[in-house]
Amino acid sequence: MKQALVIGISLLFLSACGESQDSASCNAAITAETTGYLTSKDCQPLSWASLPIVLAKDLSLPSELSIAMDEAIQIWEVNTGINLFEINEGSLNTIGIRSGETWLAEPISGKPEEPAKTVYLYRSNQLIDSDIFFNEGFLFSLNGTADTFDATTICLHELGHLLGLDHDNSASPEMSVMNPRIQKNEVRHLSERDIERVRRLYGF
């Protein structure tokens, strides 16, 4: 039976809900190997069986979000030294934009205050399908336009969830791109923790 996990970005806070456990709720099961990861019902880190993860861009995706996604993919790959993603139109793992009732309805079940959301399906401890959606009701930019969300930062965060990373509340010694708080025009970069967690998760 497939189990679903939904992770999203909100206006000031990032949110999570679903049938899986997040790493903070695993209590005694938390170790260096599970901290900072999305986890299954039995508190095991979730990951893909093989890399690269194949993604498809929906035709609905605006050009600034398409460019930002390409930039975010390159940033993740350069910093980890791993070929993590491949763009292929035939993939079931899609990146798109939704609005109105399609944003609120399943499988997204988005909230009006969420600019973006990632939906996961997993079986046992393996991710098997994932979609990233952006909320058409929000403004995104690549150049710091006032009162917009930085598109590359949002993409870095969502790709982190897609890879299997959970939220990271710590700002010490540096803020993670997976920190659950975000504001308009905030630009965020990968922390050393983000990079190391992905490398560890995939055996590098």
Side-chain angles (χ1 to χ4, degrees):
M1 177 179 173
K2 292 182 180 179
Q3 299 176 338
L5 169 68
V6 181
I7 298 289
I9 288 188
S10 66
L11 185 60
L12 295 176
F13 297 93
L14 306 178
S15 62
C17 63
E19 296 179 26
S20 72
Q21 301 291 329
D22 61 34
S23 62
S25 66
C26 286
N27 298 324
I30 292 179
T31 66
E33 287 71 37
T34 59
T35 300
Y37 297 110
L38 300 176
T39 54
S40 62
K41 300 287 276 188
D42 60 354
C43 295
Q44 297 301 307
L46 296 174
S47 64
W48 296 85
S50 63
L51 296 173
I53 304 162
V54 183
L55 305 170
K57 294 179 183 177
D58 192 276
L59 294 177
S60 67
L61 195 67
S63 61
E64 67 270 14
L65 289 175
S66 179
I67 293 169
M69 188 59 67
D70 290 341
E71 289 180 354
I73 286 172
Q74 183 178 19
I75 291 168
W76 270 113
E77 293 189 335
V78 167
N79 281 274
T80 60
I82 308 170
N83 181 22
L84 296 169
F85 306 103
E86 176 185 329
I87 300 295
N88 188 314
E89 291 182 7
S91 175
L92 296 177
N93 304 311
T94 59
I95 306 165
I97 191 163
R98 300 291 185 271
S99 64
E101 291 302 314
T102 59
W103 178 258
L104 301 174
E106 293 184 0
I108 304 174
S109 301
K111 297 177 182 178
E113 67 271 20
E114 293 175 323
K117 200 153 196 174
T118 298
V119 180
Y120 296 93
L121 293 176
Y122 72 92
R123 183 181 294 116
S124 299
N125 300 328
Q126 287 192 344
L127 294 161
I128 57 174
D129 189 19
S130 183
D131 300 303
I132 295 174
F133 298 104
F134 296 91
N135 186 341
E136 195 171 42
F138 286 79
L139 297 176
F140 304 92
S141 72
L142 294 165
N143 57 8
T145 302
D147 293 322
T148 65
F149 283 94
D150 182 72
T152 304
T153 296
I154 299 289
C155 290
L156 284 170
H157 182 97
E158 295 301 326
L159 287 173
H161 283 313
L162 190 145
L163 286 164
L165 297 187
D166 195 5
H167 289 142
D168 182 333
N169 294 292
S170 176
S172 177
E174 58 182 330
M175 183 175 288
S176 166
V177 78
M178 304 309 297
N179 190 283
R181 302 185 184 198
I182 192 147
Q183 300 182 42
K184 290 179 179 178
N185 297 113
E186 179 180 357
V187 176
R188 200 178 292 170
H189 307 283
L190 299 184
S191 72
E192 289 301 319
R193 295 192 304 281
D194 302 326
I195 297 164
E196 178 56 31
R197 283 172 180 160
V198 168
R199 288 182 59 80
R200 184 189 306 136
L201 187 62
Y202 291 99
F204 288 87

